[in-house]
Amino acid sequence: MMKIHFGLAACIIVIHIGCLHAESRHSTEKTVNHLYDAKSILFIVLSQPNEYHVSQAKLFRQQFVDQLTQLDKADWPQLIFTHEDFVDVHGSWTVIPLLGKLVEKLKKSNTSWVFICEEDTQVDIGGLSSLLQQYDPSQEYFLGRELRDQQTTIIHHFAFADDPSKFTYPDFRAGFVLSRALVVSLFKRFKKGKFKADFSIDPKHELSMFIWDNGVGTTLTNIKEFCSADKSSGSHCVTRQPQKFPECGVPLKKQDLVVAVKTCQQFHETRVPIVQATWGKQAGVIEYFSDVKDSRIPTTDLGIPNTERGHCGKTIGIIRRIVDTTALSSPAWVLIADDDTIINLDRLRALLACYNHRQPVALGERYGYSVVQGGGYDYITGGGGMVFSQPAIRLLSTRCNCYADDSPDDMTLGMCLKSIGVPVTHSRFFHQARPDDYSKDFLSNQLPVSFHKHWNNDPYKVFADLTADHTDNKVKVMKKKHTEEL
């Protein structure tokens, strides 16, 4: 009896293993087939030429290639990085100027889909290919992880005042997909001059508005498999992000960052005390630049009268004072901020560990003027904070001038940076507006560095949220390690 039972058990085991092997072979074959089908997808990475972002692009490429080792190279899908392959397309970060290039690529291949993402997006190529087989590329499809506004906002031109949440737009970091038919249709409309905006502020929303075309175009289809770095990410995801904030080693020392605060006499009693009570305490080197000398703060009078807008004269004056003052020109980095900027300097110093201060670097939230039309220039919007390495500061001090004291300082600096060949490096962690002006799902996918405006919000609460302990554990651990090493 024991022999019979053992024999039966052995038989059952063999059959079971055989089934597992068959399932494994079937799964492997299915995966390979999906990878082979991925050749119908054109992958576009919205990359940047800055050294750190190039390193992120290299990681993306390696993760991409590692998934394709089972295929002949001739069967690999095409991968394009905008900082390498579309150097001639100014404003590629807004996507719309890429439409002509995309149509050219479509004509030369059997590409059915265009997948667009950022440098640190992680993509399951086979999973994405399998997902897209549910859709017909001959139809106009726009697929992505949806974001919604909870209220009307200036950064979206106060669109959909009756109900801003009804309009959806994609999280670029989670990636999004355009069908072949949609790309062709959009390019035809673009050639007819259907896109008129001068300023590019939030490309994900502006692209969606263009695609939506006042209700007669295509709306975004939400794809739950396109995921973020927050708790919504799981095994079902075909795209995801590794983390909410980059880890680049030990944050800068406090004395390695000069903080220059732009203010004027009008706000010495209102805005400046808020800075001093909040993020000003985090600074190692800080100077308040005003139109009058006030020993109570104290402020530095640049000898430039205050203007109602623009403040170009004051900003260029700050830059030249930094260059001419040893105590200000010695630290590696410079932050120029408004007196109603709200910023976490500890987090900023952790972010700056990712960047090379020996190179000319201009970092912040990127806006664009007339870039969709193929010209114009990028600039760092000033309210969220403008960060420069000292080599960039020195170049700007000698190569940049204001047309007038009240010219827009951030736009003037943008023109200067373009003329001297220093690219504006975009960081998603800087914000020109208030927290309420951004989608909650967008903010949940990051650890913000800054916001802007004391108007219609509580700056003390915004700062408290920016510096909440539970969001900065990794930064605190790195700071602790740095202290121990010293």
Side-chain angles (χ1 to χ4, degrees), residues 118-166:
E118 296 184 355
E119 299 146 350
D120 69 339
T121 308
Q122 295 180 347
V123 187
D124 175 354
I125 300 174
L128 176 63
S129 176
S130 175
L131 184 150
L132 291 178
Q133 289 178 21
Q134 304 173 43
Y135 301 92
D136 180 359
S138 67
Q139 303 299 310
E140 296 187 9
Y141 277 109
F142 180 27
L143 314 174
R145 175 184 184 250
E146 69 176 20
L147 301 176
R148 297 174 185 265
D149 292 339
Q150 300 306 307
Q151 63 181 46
T152 55
T153 168
I154 188 172
I155 64 170
H156 296 158
H157 316 291
F158 300 107
F160 304 100
D162 58 328
D163 181 12
S165 66
K166 69 183 179 183

Side-chain angles (χ1 to χ4, degrees), residues 365-382:
E365 183 176 17
R366 175 182 52 202
Y367 279 12
Y369 178 72
S370 196
V371 296
V372 173
Q373 287 72 25
Y377 53 89
D378 302 337
Y379 63 97
I380 302 170
T381 180

Side-chain angles (χ1 to χ4, degrees), residues 26-37:
H26 178 69
S27 176
T28 301
E29 290 170 1
K30 188 175 181 181
T31 299
V32 172
N33 286 338
H34 287 322
L35 287 173
Y36 182 81
D37 292 337

Side-chain angles (χ1 to χ4, degrees), residues 209-230:
M209 290 287 284
F210 178 58
I211 295 173
W212 178 68
D213 193 20
N214 292 313
V216 299
T218 304
T219 56
L220 180 71
T221 298
N222 184 45
I223 304 297
K224 62 179 175 37
E225 291 85 359
F226 284 18
C227 303
S228 66
D230 66 8

Side-chain angles (χ1 to χ4, degrees), residues 76-107:
W76 288 10
Q78 188 174 4
L79 173 62
I80 288 175
F81 294 93
T82 56
H83 82 281
E84 292 178 344
D85 303 288
F86 291 153
V87 176
D88 59 326
V89 184
H90 188 58
S92 60
W93 55 276
T94 67
V95 177
I96 295 174
L98 291 176
L99 291 172
K101 294 284 188 180
L102 298 182
V103 169
E104 289 178 13
K105 296 286 184 183
L106 295 177
K107 288 179 180 178

